[in-house]
PDB file of all heavy atoms in Angstrom:
ATOM      1  N   GLN E   1       5.750   6.534   4.157  1.00  0.00           N
ATOM      2  CA  GLN E   1       5.041   7.414   5.093  1.00  0.00           C
ATOM      3  C   GLN E   1       4.324   6.599   6.171  1.00  0.00           C
ATOM      4  O   GLN E   1       4.346   6.957   7.351  1.00  0.00           O
ATOM      5  CB  GLN E   1       4.043   8.292   4.337  1.00  0.00           C
ATOM      6  CG  GLN E   1       4.720   9.390   3.518  1.00  0.00           C
ATOM      7  CD  GLN E   1       3.712  10.270   2.805  1.00  0.00           C
ATOM      8  OE1 GLN E   1       2.717   9.771   2.260  1.00  0.00           O
ATOM      9  NE2 GLN E   1       3.958  11.569   2.793  1.00  0.00           N
ATOM     10  N   ASP E   2       3.687   5.494   5.769  1.00  0.00           N
ATOM     11  CA  ASP E   2       3.046   4.612   6.754  1.00  0.00           C
ATOM     12  C   ASP E   2       4.110   3.904   7.585  1.00  0.00           C
ATOM     13  O   ASP E   2       3.941   3.703   8.795  1.00  0.00           O
ATOM     14  CB  ASP E   2       2.157   3.585   6.050  1.00  0.00           C
ATOM     15  CG  ASP E   2       0.958   4.221   5.370  1.00  0.00           C
ATOM     16  OD1 ASP E   2       0.557   5.321   5.806  1.00  0.00           O
ATOM     17  OD2 ASP E   2       0.433   3.639   4.409  1.00  0.00           O
ATOM     18  N   GLY E   3       5.219   3.521   6.921  1.00  0.00           N
ATOM     19  CA  GLY E   3       6.307   2.875   7.645  1.00  0.00           C
ATOM     20  C   GLY E   3       6.927   3.780   8.690  1.00  0.00           C
ATOM     21  O   GLY E   3       7.442   3.307   9.708  1.00  0.00           O
ATOM     22  N   ALA E   4       6.862   5.103   8.464  1.00  0.00           N
ATOM     23  CA  ALA E   4       7.413   6.061   9.430  1.00  0.00           C
ATOM     24  C   ALA E   4       6.657   5.982  10.766  1.00  0.00           C
ATOM     25  O   ALA E   4       7.241   6.230  11.837  1.00  0.00           O
ATOM     26  CB  ALA E   4       7.344   7.468   8.862  1.00  0.00           C
ATOM     27  N   GLN E   5       5.358   5.645  10.712  1.00  0.00           N
ATOM     28  CA  GLN E   5       4.593   5.479  11.958  1.00  0.00           C
ATOM     29  C   GLN E   5       5.126   4.299  12.762  1.00  0.00           C
ATOM     30  O   GLN E   5       5.248   4.358  13.992  1.00  0.00           O
ATOM     31  CB  GLN E   5       3.120   5.277  11.631  1.00  0.00           C
ATOM     32  CG  GLN E   5       2.472   6.482  10.962  1.00  0.00           C
ATOM     33  CD  GLN E   5       1.004   6.242  10.659  1.00  0.00           C
ATOM     34  OE1 GLN E   5       0.312   5.519  11.378  1.00  0.00           O
ATOM     35  NE2 GLN E   5       0.515   6.848   9.591  1.00  0.00           N
ATOM     36  N   LEU E   6       5.458   3.221  12.059  1.00  0.00           N
ATOM     37  CA  LEU E   6       6.056   2.063  12.736  1.00  0.00           C
ATOM     38  C   LEU E   6       7.439   2.429  13.271  1.00  0.00           C
ATOM     39  O   LEU E   6       7.842   1.968  14.341  1.00  0.00           O
ATOM     40  CB  LEU E   6       6.145   0.881  11.771  1.00  0.00           C
ATOM     41  CG  LEU E   6       6.612  -0.449  12.373  1.00  0.00           C
ATOM     42  CD1 LEU E   6       5.610  -0.957  13.396  1.00  0.00           C
ATOM     43  CD2 LEU E   6       6.822  -1.490  11.283  1.00  0.00           C
ATOM     44  N   HIS E   7       8.161   3.277  12.541  1.00  0.00           N
ATOM     45  CA  HIS E   7       9.456   3.760  13.013  1.00  0.00           C
ATOM     46  C   HIS E   7       9.280   4.508  14.334  1.00  0.00           C
ATOM     47  O   HIS E   7      10.099   4.379  15.256  1.00  0.00           O
ATOM     48  CB  HIS E   7      10.078   4.680  11.953  1.00  0.00           C
ATOM     49  CG  HIS E   7      11.466   5.128  12.283  1.00  0.00           C
ATOM     50  ND1 HIS E   7      12.118   6.118  11.567  1.00  0.00           N
ATOM     51  CD2 HIS E   7      12.334   4.746  13.266  1.00  0.00           C
ATOM     52  CE1 HIS E   7      13.319   6.312  12.084  1.00  0.00           C
ATOM     53  NE2 HIS E   7      13.460   5.499  13.111  1.00  0.00           N
ATOM     54  N   GLY E   8       8.185   5.270  14.432  1.00  0.00           N
ATOM     55  CA  GLY E   8       7.888   5.966  15.693  1.00  0.00           C
ATOM     56  C   GLY E   8       7.701   4.995  16.836  1.00  0.00           C
ATOM     57  O   GLY E   8       8.155   5.245  17.968  1.00  0.00           O
ATOM     58  N   ARG E   9       7.040   3.863  16.575  1.00  0.00           N
ATOM     59  CA  ARG E   9       6.847   2.838  17.617  1.00  0.00           C
ATOM     60  C   ARG E   9       8.202   2.270  18.048  1.00  0.00           C
ATOM     61  O   ARG E   9       8.431   2.037  19.241  1.00  0.00           O
ATOM     62  CB  ARG E   9       5.950   1.730  17.067  1.00  0.00           C
ATOM     63  CG  ARG E   9       5.708   0.577  18.035  1.00  0.00           C
ATOM     64  CD  ARG E   9       4.884  -0.526  17.373  1.00  0.00           C
ATOM     65  NE  ARG E   9       4.765  -1.683  18.251  1.00  0.00           N
ATOM     66  CZ  ARG E   9       3.797  -1.855  19.136  1.00  0.00           C
ATOM     67  NH1 ARG E   9       2.853  -0.939  19.288  1.00  0.00           N
ATOM     68  NH2 ARG E   9       3.755  -2.945  19.897  1.00  0.00           N
ATOM     69  N   ILE E  10       9.094   2.079  17.063  1.00  0.00           N
ATOM     70  CA  ILE E  10      10.438   1.563  17.362  1.00  0.00           C
ATOM     71  C   ILE E  10      11.184   2.518  18.283  1.00  0.00           C
ATOM     72  O   ILE E  10      11.872   2.102  19.229  1.00  0.00           O
ATOM     73  CB  ILE E  10      11.231   1.349  16.052  1.00  0.00           C
ATOM     74  CG1 ILE E  10      10.576   0.258  15.191  1.00  0.00           C
ATOM     75  CG2 ILE E  10      12.689   1.010  16.327  1.00  0.00           C
ATOM     76  CD1 ILE E  10      10.529  -1.110  15.803  1.00  0.00           C
ATOM     77  N   LEU E  11      11.055   3.827  18.020  1.00  0.00           N
ATOM     78  CA  LEU E  11      11.717   4.837  18.859  1.00  0.00           C
ATOM     79  C   LEU E  11      11.169   4.807  20.283  1.00  0.00           C
ATOM     80  O   LEU E  11      11.927   4.916  21.254  1.00  0.00           O
ATOM     81  CB  LEU E  11      11.532   6.227  18.250  1.00  0.00           C
ATOM     82  CG  LEU E  11      12.292   6.501  16.941  1.00  0.00           C
ATOM     83  CD1 LEU E  11      11.823   7.798  16.307  1.00  0.00           C
ATOM     84  CD2 LEU E  11      13.795   6.541  17.208  1.00  0.00           C
ATOM     85  N   LYS E  12       9.853   4.646  20.406  1.00  0.00           N
ATOM     86  CA  LYS E  12       9.242   4.572  21.735  1.00  0.00           C
ATOM     87  C   LYS E  12       9.720   3.350  22.510  1.00  0.00           C
ATOM     88  O   LYS E  12       9.940   3.401  23.717  1.00  0.00           O
ATOM     89  CB  LYS E  12       7.713   4.526  21.614  1.00  0.00           C
ATOM     90  CG  LYS E  12       7.085   5.870  21.284  1.00  0.00           C
ATOM     91  CD  LYS E  12       5.565   5.751  21.256  1.00  0.00           C
ATOM     92  CE  LYS E  12       4.933   7.090  20.944  1.00  0.00           C
ATOM     93  NZ  LYS E  12       3.437   7.001  20.892  1.00  0.00           N
ATOM     94  N   LEU E  13       9.881   2.248  21.775  1.00  0.00           N
ATOM     95  CA  LEU E  13      10.350   1.008  22.421  1.00  0.00           C
ATOM     96  C   LEU E  13      11.849   1.054  22.709  1.00  0.00           C
ATOM     97  O   LEU E  13      12.361   0.190  23.440  1.00  0.00           O
ATOM     98  CB  LEU E  13      10.031  -0.197  21.528  1.00  0.00           C
ATOM     99  CG  LEU E  13       8.536  -0.533  21.332  1.00  0.00           C
ATOM    100  CD1 LEU E  13       8.372  -1.585  20.260  1.00  0.00           C
ATOM    101  CD2 LEU E  13       7.932  -1.017  22.656  1.00  0.00           C
ATOM    102  N   GLY E  14      12.568   2.012  22.095  1.00  0.00           N
ATOM    103  CA  GLY E  14      14.002   2.150  22.333  1.00  0.00           C
ATOM    104  C   GLY E  14      14.843   1.066  21.679  1.00  0.00           C
ATOM    105  O   GLY E  14      15.904   0.711  22.196  1.00  0.00           O
ATOM    106  N   ILE E  15      14.389   0.546  20.535  1.00  0.00           N
ATOM    107  CA  ILE E  15      15.138  -0.546  19.885  1.00  0.00           C
ATOM    108  C   ILE E  15      15.655  -0.149  18.499  1.00  0.00           C
ATOM    109  O   ILE E  15      16.018  -1.006  17.700  1.00  0.00           O
ATOM    110  CB  ILE E  15      14.270  -1.826  19.789  1.00  0.00           C
ATOM    111  CG1 ILE E  15      12.937  -1.551  19.081  1.00  0.00           C
ATOM    112  CG2 ILE E  15      14.031  -2.413  21.169  1.00  0.00           C
ATOM    113  CD1 ILE E  15      12.092  -2.796  18.853  1.00  0.00           C
ATOM    114  N   GLU E  16      15.707   1.161  18.213  1.00  0.00           N
ATOM    115  CA  GLU E  16      16.207   1.605  16.915  1.00  0.00           C
ATOM    116  C   GLU E  16      17.687   1.271  16.742  1.00  0.00           C
ATOM    117  O   GLU E  16      18.170   1.103  15.620  1.00  0.00           O
ATOM    118  CB  GLU E  16      16.022   3.124  16.762  1.00  0.00           C
ATOM    119  CG  GLU E  16      16.336   3.626  15.365  1.00  0.00           C
ATOM    120  CD  GLU E  16      16.414   5.146  15.287  1.00  0.00           C
ATOM    121  OE1 GLU E  16      17.122   5.757  16.116  1.00  0.00           O
ATOM    122  OE2 GLU E  16      15.771   5.714  14.393  1.00  0.00           O
ATOM    123  N   CYS E  17      18.396   1.149  17.860  1.00  0.00           N
ATOM    124  CA  CYS E  17      19.834   0.858  17.786  1.00  0.00           C
ATOM    125  C   CYS E  17      20.128  -0.588  17.385  1.00  0.00           C
ATOM    126  O   CYS E  17      21.271  -0.932  17.083  1.00  0.00           O
ATOM    127  CB  CYS E  17      20.521   1.182  19.108  1.00  0.00           C
ATOM    128  SG  CYS E  17      19.822   0.283  20.507  1.00  0.00           S
ATOM    129  N   ASP E  18      19.092  -1.447  17.384  1.00  0.00           N
ATOM    130  CA  ASP E  18      19.293  -2.824  16.936  1.00  0.00           C
ATOM    131  C   ASP E  18      19.676  -2.811  15.459  1.00  0.00           C
ATOM    132  O   ASP E  18      18.915  -2.311  14.619  1.00  0.00           O
ATOM    133  CB  ASP E  18      18.007  -3.635  17.136  1.00  0.00           C
ATOM    134  CG  ASP E  18      18.164  -5.085  16.721  1.00  0.00           C
ATOM    135  OD1 ASP E  18      18.043  -5.356  15.506  1.00  0.00           O
ATOM    136  OD2 ASP E  18      18.414  -5.931  17.581  1.00  0.00           O
ATOM    137  N   PRO E  19      20.862  -3.340  15.090  1.00  0.00           N
ATOM    138  CA  PRO E  19      21.331  -3.233  13.691  1.00  0.00           C
ATOM    139  C   PRO E  19      20.367  -3.828  12.661  1.00  0.00           C
ATOM    140  O   PRO E  19      20.180  -3.266  11.580  1.00  0.00           O
ATOM    141  CB  PRO E  19      22.665  -4.000  13.708  1.00  0.00           C
ATOM    142  CG  PRO E  19      23.096  -4.003  15.123  1.00  0.00           C
ATOM    143  CD  PRO E  19      21.840  -4.026  15.938  1.00  0.00           C
ATOM    144  N   PHE E  20      19.757  -4.971  13.021  1.00  0.00           N
ATOM    145  CA  PHE E  20      18.866  -5.639  12.083  1.00  0.00           C
ATOM    146  C   PHE E  20      17.650  -4.770  11.788  1.00  0.00           C
ATOM    147  O   PHE E  20      17.232  -4.601  10.626  1.00  0.00           O
ATOM    148  CB  PHE E  20      18.445  -6.990  12.667  1.00  0.00           C
ATOM    149  CG  PHE E  20      17.849  -7.941  11.675  1.00  0.00           C
ATOM    150  CD1 PHE E  20      18.200  -7.902  10.334  1.00  0.00           C
ATOM    151  CD2 PHE E  20      16.915  -8.892  12.082  1.00  0.00           C
ATOM    152  CE1 PHE E  20      17.651  -8.788   9.411  1.00  0.00           C
ATOM    153  CE2 PHE E  20      16.362  -9.783  11.167  1.00  0.00           C
ATOM    154  CZ  PHE E  20      16.725  -9.721   9.840  1.00  0.00           C
ATOM    155  N   ILE E  21      17.065  -4.176  12.833  1.00  0.00           N
ATOM    156  CA  ILE E  21      15.900  -3.300  12.659  1.00  0.00           C
ATOM    157  C   ILE E  21      16.302  -2.023  11.928  1.00  0.00           C
ATOM    158  O   ILE E  21      15.634  -1.582  10.992  1.00  0.00           O
ATOM    159  CB  ILE E  21      15.269  -2.965  14.034  1.00  0.00           C
ATOM    160  CG1 ILE E  21      14.683  -4.238  14.668  1.00  0.00           C
ATOM    161  CG2 ILE E  21      14.192  -1.896  13.890  1.00  0.00           C
ATOM    162  CD1 ILE E  21      14.172  -4.059  16.073  1.00  0.00           C
ATOM    163  N   ARG E  22      17.421  -1.431  12.357  1.00  0.00           N
ATOM    164  CA  ARG E  22      17.876  -0.179  11.752  1.00  0.00           C
ATOM    165  C   ARG E  22      18.152  -0.349  10.250  1.00  0.00           C
ATOM    166  O   ARG E  22      17.809   0.511   9.430  1.00  0.00           O
ATOM    167  CB  ARG E  22      19.135   0.303  12.467  1.00  0.00           C
ATOM    168  CG  ARG E  22      19.601   1.680  12.007  1.00  0.00           C
ATOM    169  CD  ARG E  22      20.768   2.156  12.850  1.00  0.00           C
ATOM    170  NE  ARG E  22      21.958   1.351  12.637  1.00  0.00           N
ATOM    171  CZ  ARG E  22      22.695   0.821  13.602  1.00  0.00           C
ATOM    172  NH1 ARG E  22      22.352   0.972  14.867  1.00  0.00           N
ATOM    173  NH2 ARG E  22      23.777   0.115  13.320  1.00  0.00           N
ATOM    174  N   ASN E  23      18.757  -1.458   9.890  1.00  0.00           N
ATOM    175  CA  ASN E  23      19.055  -1.708   8.471  1.00  0.00           C
ATOM    176  C   ASN E  23      17.801  -1.743   7.613  1.00  0.00           C
ATOM    177  O   ASN E  23      17.774  -1.218   6.497  1.00  0.00           O
ATOM    178  CB  ASN E  23      19.818  -3.021   8.314  1.00  0.00           C
ATOM    179  CG  ASN E  23      21.259  -2.913   8.753  1.00  0.00           C
ATOM    180  OD1 ASN E  23      21.779  -1.814   8.927  1.00  0.00           O
ATOM    181  ND2 ASN E  23      21.918  -4.040   8.941  1.00  0.00           N
ATOM    182  N   THR E  24      16.759  -2.371   8.133  1.00  0.00           N
ATOM    183  CA  THR E  24      15.525  -2.471   7.336  1.00  0.00           C
ATOM    184  C   THR E  24      14.800  -1.133   7.270  1.00  0.00           C
ATOM    185  O   THR E  24      14.115  -0.850   6.284  1.00  0.00           O
ATOM    186  CB  THR E  24      14.581  -3.555   7.888  1.00  0.00           C
ATOM    187  OG1 THR E  24      14.366  -3.346   9.289  1.00  0.00           O
ATOM    188  CG2 THR E  24      15.143  -4.937   7.659  1.00  0.00           C
ATOM    189  N   ILE E  25      14.944  -0.289   8.303  1.00  0.00           N
ATOM    190  CA  ILE E  25      14.354   1.058   8.237  1.00  0.00           C
ATOM    191  C   ILE E  25      15.078   1.878   7.167  1.00  0.00           C
ATOM    192  O   ILE E  25      14.451   2.572   6.362  1.00  0.00           O
ATOM    193  CB  ILE E  25      14.432   1.758   9.616  1.00  0.00           C
ATOM    194  CG1 ILE E  25      13.643   0.977  10.670  1.00  0.00           C
ATOM    195  CG2 ILE E  25      13.881   3.181   9.510  1.00  0.00           C
ATOM    196  CD1 ILE E  25      13.798   1.516  12.084  1.00  0.00           C
ATOM    197  N   ILE E  26      16.410   1.811   7.168  1.00  0.00           N
ATOM    198  CA  ILE E  26      17.203   2.509   6.140  1.00  0.00           C
ATOM    199  C   ILE E  26      16.813   2.008   4.752  1.00  0.00           C
ATOM    200  O   ILE E  26      16.632   2.802   3.821  1.00  0.00           O
ATOM    201  CB  ILE E  26      18.715   2.307   6.392  1.00  0.00           C
ATOM    202  CG1 ILE E  26      19.149   3.040   7.657  1.00  0.00           C
ATOM    203  CG2 ILE E  26      19.535   2.792   5.193  1.00  0.00           C
ATOM    204  CD1 ILE E  26      20.581   2.726   8.096  1.00  0.00           C
ATOM    205  N   TYR E  27      16.664   0.693   4.623  1.00  0.00           N
ATOM    206  CA  TYR E  27      16.282   0.104   3.343  1.00  0.00           C
ATOM    207  C   TYR E  27      14.917   0.624   2.896  1.00  0.00           C
ATOM    208  O   TYR E  27      14.725   0.975   1.727  1.00  0.00           O
ATOM    209  CB  TYR E  27      16.247  -1.417   3.454  1.00  0.00           C
ATOM    210  CG  TYR E  27      15.653  -2.116   2.253  1.00  0.00           C
ATOM    211  CD1 TYR E  27      16.350  -2.199   1.057  1.00  0.00           C
ATOM    212  CD2 TYR E  27      14.372  -2.669   2.310  1.00  0.00           C
ATOM    213  CE1 TYR E  27      15.798  -2.832  -0.057  1.00  0.00           C
ATOM    214  CE2 TYR E  27      13.814  -3.303   1.211  1.00  0.00           C
ATOM    215  CZ  TYR E  27      14.536  -3.378   0.030  1.00  0.00           C
ATOM    216  OH  TYR E  27      13.978  -3.990  -1.061  1.00  0.00           O
ATOM    217  N   MET E  28      13.965   0.696   3.829  1.00  0.00           N
ATOM    218  CA  MET E  28      12.620   1.173   3.491  1.00  0.00           C
ATOM    219  C   MET E  28      12.665   2.608   2.979  1.00  0.00           C
ATOM    220  O   MET E  28      12.127   2.926   1.907  1.00  0.00           O
ATOM    221  CB  MET E  28      11.706   1.098   4.707  1.00  0.00           C
ATOM    222  CG  MET E  28      10.313   1.672   4.461  1.00  0.00           C
ATOM    223  SD  MET E  28       9.368   1.906   5.963  1.00  0.00           S
ATOM    224  CE  MET E  28      10.242   3.299   6.712  1.00  0.00           C
ATOM    225  N   TYR E  29      13.335   3.491   3.732  1.00  0.00           N
ATOM    226  CA  TYR E  29      13.384   4.902   3.329  1.00  0.00           C
ATOM    227  C   TYR E  29      14.104   5.073   1.983  1.00  0.00           C
ATOM    228  O   TYR E  29      13.630   5.782   1.096  1.00  0.00           O
ATOM    229  CB  TYR E  29      14.093   5.731   4.399  1.00  0.00           C
ATOM    230  CG  TYR E  29      13.245   6.040   5.613  1.00  0.00           C
ATOM    231  CD1 TYR E  29      13.734   5.838   6.905  1.00  0.00           C
ATOM    232  CD2 TYR E  29      11.951   6.543   5.481  1.00  0.00           C
ATOM    233  CE1 TYR E  29      12.960   6.129   8.028  1.00  0.00           C
ATOM    234  CE2 TYR E  29      11.165   6.830   6.598  1.00  0.00           C
ATOM    235  CZ  TYR E  29      11.680   6.617   7.870  1.00  0.00           C
ATOM    236  OH  TYR E  29      10.908   6.905   8.964  1.00  0.00           O
ATOM    237  N   SER E  30      15.250   4.429   1.827  1.00  0.00           N
ATOM    238  CA  SER E  30      16.034   4.609   0.594  1.00  0.00           C
ATOM    239  C   SER E  30      15.320   4.003  -0.607  1.00  0.00           C
ATOM    240  O   SER E  30      15.320   4.579  -1.697  1.00  0.00           O
ATOM    241  CB  SER E  30      17.427   3.996   0.746  1.00  0.00           C
ATOM    242  OG  SER E  30      17.353   2.600   0.973  1.00  0.00           O
ATOM    243  N   ASN E  31      14.686   2.855  -0.425  1.00  0.00           N
ATOM    244  CA  ASN E  31      13.980   2.191  -1.524  1.00  0.00           C
ATOM    245  C   ASN E  31      12.787   3.007  -2.001  1.00  0.00           C
ATOM    246  O   ASN E  31      12.426   2.966  -3.172  1.00  0.00           O
ATOM    247  CB  ASN E  31      13.509   0.803  -1.080  1.00  0.00           C
ATOM    248  CG  ASN E  31      12.975  -0.032  -2.226  1.00  0.00           C
ATOM    249  OD1 ASN E  31      13.709  -0.426  -3.116  1.00  0.00           O
ATOM    250  ND2 ASN E  31      11.681  -0.309  -2.213  1.00  0.00           N
ATOM    251  N   CYS E  32      12.175   3.780  -1.076  1.00  0.00           N
ATOM    252  CA  CYS E  32      10.994   4.581  -1.418  1.00  0.00           C
ATOM    253  C   CYS E  32      11.357   6.006  -1.821  1.00  0.00           C
ATOM    254  O   CYS E  32      10.466   6.832  -2.053  1.00  0.00           O
ATOM    255  CB  CYS E  32      10.027   4.607  -0.237  1.00  0.00           C
ATOM    256  SG  CYS E  32       9.345   2.989   0.184  1.00  0.00           S
ATOM    257  N   GLY E  33      12.661   6.312  -1.881  1.00  0.00           N
ATOM    258  CA  GLY E  33      13.079   7.642  -2.316  1.00  0.00           C
ATOM    259  C   GLY E  33      13.162   8.675  -1.218  1.00  0.00           C
ATOM    260  O   GLY E  33      13.400   9.858  -1.491  1.00  0.00           O
ATOM    261  N   TYR E  34      12.994   8.268   0.036  1.00  0.00           N
ATOM    262  CA  TYR E  34      13.117   9.196   1.172  1.00  0.00           C
ATOM    263  C   TYR E  34      14.581   9.203   1.622  1.00  0.00           C
ATOM    264  O   TYR E  34      14.939   8.706   2.693  1.00  0.00           O
ATOM    265  CB  TYR E  34      12.191   8.763   2.313  1.00  0.00           C
ATOM    266  CG  TYR E  34      10.731   9.011   2.025  1.00  0.00           C
ATOM    267  CD1 TYR E  34      10.017   8.212   1.136  1.00  0.00           C
ATOM    268  CD2 TYR E  34      10.048  10.062   2.638  1.00  0.00           C
ATOM    269  CE1 TYR E  34       8.677   8.440   0.856  1.00  0.00           C
ATOM    270  CE2 TYR E  34       8.705  10.302   2.381  1.00  0.00           C
ATOM    271  CZ  TYR E  34       8.028   9.492   1.487  1.00  0.00           C
ATOM    272  OH  TYR E  34       6.702   9.735   1.227  1.00  0.00           O
ATOM    273  N   LEU E  35      15.429   9.796   0.771  1.00  0.00           N
ATOM    274  CA  LEU E  35      16.875   9.686   0.974  1.00  0.00           C
ATOM    275  C   LEU E  35      17.374  10.552   2.125  1.00  0.00           C
ATOM    276  O   LEU E  35      18.388  10.217   2.750  1.00  0.00           O
ATOM    277  CB  LEU E  35      17.594  10.048  -0.323  1.00  0.00           C
ATOM    278  CG  LEU E  35      17.289   9.114  -1.499  1.00  0.00           C
ATOM    279  CD1 LEU E  35      17.895   9.637  -2.782  1.00  0.00           C
ATOM    280  CD2 LEU E  35      17.794   7.702  -1.217  1.00  0.00           C
ATOM    281  N   VAL E  36      16.692  11.658   2.413  1.00  0.00           N
ATOM    282  CA  VAL E  36      17.091  12.508   3.549  1.00  0.00           C
ATOM    283  C   VAL E  36      16.924  11.737   4.850  1.00  0.00           C
ATOM    284  O   VAL E  36      17.816  11.722   5.707  1.00  0.00           O
ATOM    285  CB  VAL E  36      16.250  13.809   3.574  1.00  0.00           C
ATOM    286  CG1 VAL E  36      16.546  14.605   4.846  1.00  0.00           C
ATOM    287  CG2 VAL E  36      16.533  14.642   2.339  1.00  0.00           C
ATOM    288  N   GLU E  37      15.773  11.061   4.996  1.00  0.00           N
ATOM    289  CA  GLU E  37      15.509  10.281   6.220  1.00  0.00           C
ATOM    290  C   GLU E  37      16.477   9.096   6.326  1.00  0.00           C
ATOM    291  O   GLU E  37      17.001   8.795   7.398  1.00  0.00           O
ATOM    292  CB  GLU E  37      14.060   9.783   6.222  1.00  0.00           C
ATOM    293  CG  GLU E  37      13.006  10.858   6.415  1.00  0.00           C
ATOM    294  CD  GLU E  37      12.704  11.631   5.142  1.00  0.00           C
ATOM    295  OE1 GLU E  37      13.329  11.363   4.095  1.00  0.00           O
ATOM    296  OE2 GLU E  37      11.825  12.516   5.202  1.00  0.00           O
ATOM    297  N   ALA E  38      16.707   8.439   5.181  1.00  0.00           N
ATOM    298  CA  ALA E  38      17.625   7.295   5.182  1.00  0.00           C
ATOM    299  C   ALA E  38      19.040   7.747   5.537  1.00  0.00           C
ATOM    300  O   ALA E  38      19.734   7.109   6.348  1.00  0.00           O
ATOM    301  CB  ALA E  38      17.618   6.627   3.808  1.00  0.00           C
TER     302      ALA E  38
END
């Protein structure tokens, strides 16, 4: 949930498409059980 705020910053910066960043966001959501978001 706190990481989602940082995800919002990534969206504002327009760098979510960076594979390295995107992979770690997916990892965060899936590891914490937020499978819909992941």
Side-chain angles (χ1 to χ4, degrees):
Q1 287 181 319
D2 293 336
Q5 296 180 31
L6 186 65
H7 185 190
R9 178 184 174 90
I10 295 297
L11 290 169
K12 284 183 179 179
L13 293 171
I15 55 175
E16 188 191 50
C17 58
D18 181 278
F20 196 29
I21 294 174
R22 186 174 67 230
N23 286 345
T24 52
I25 299 174
I26 291 171
Y27 171 73
M28 176 192 71
Y29 283 132
S30 62
N31 190 67
C32 296
Y34 288 74
L35 297 173
V36 173
E37 290 80 359

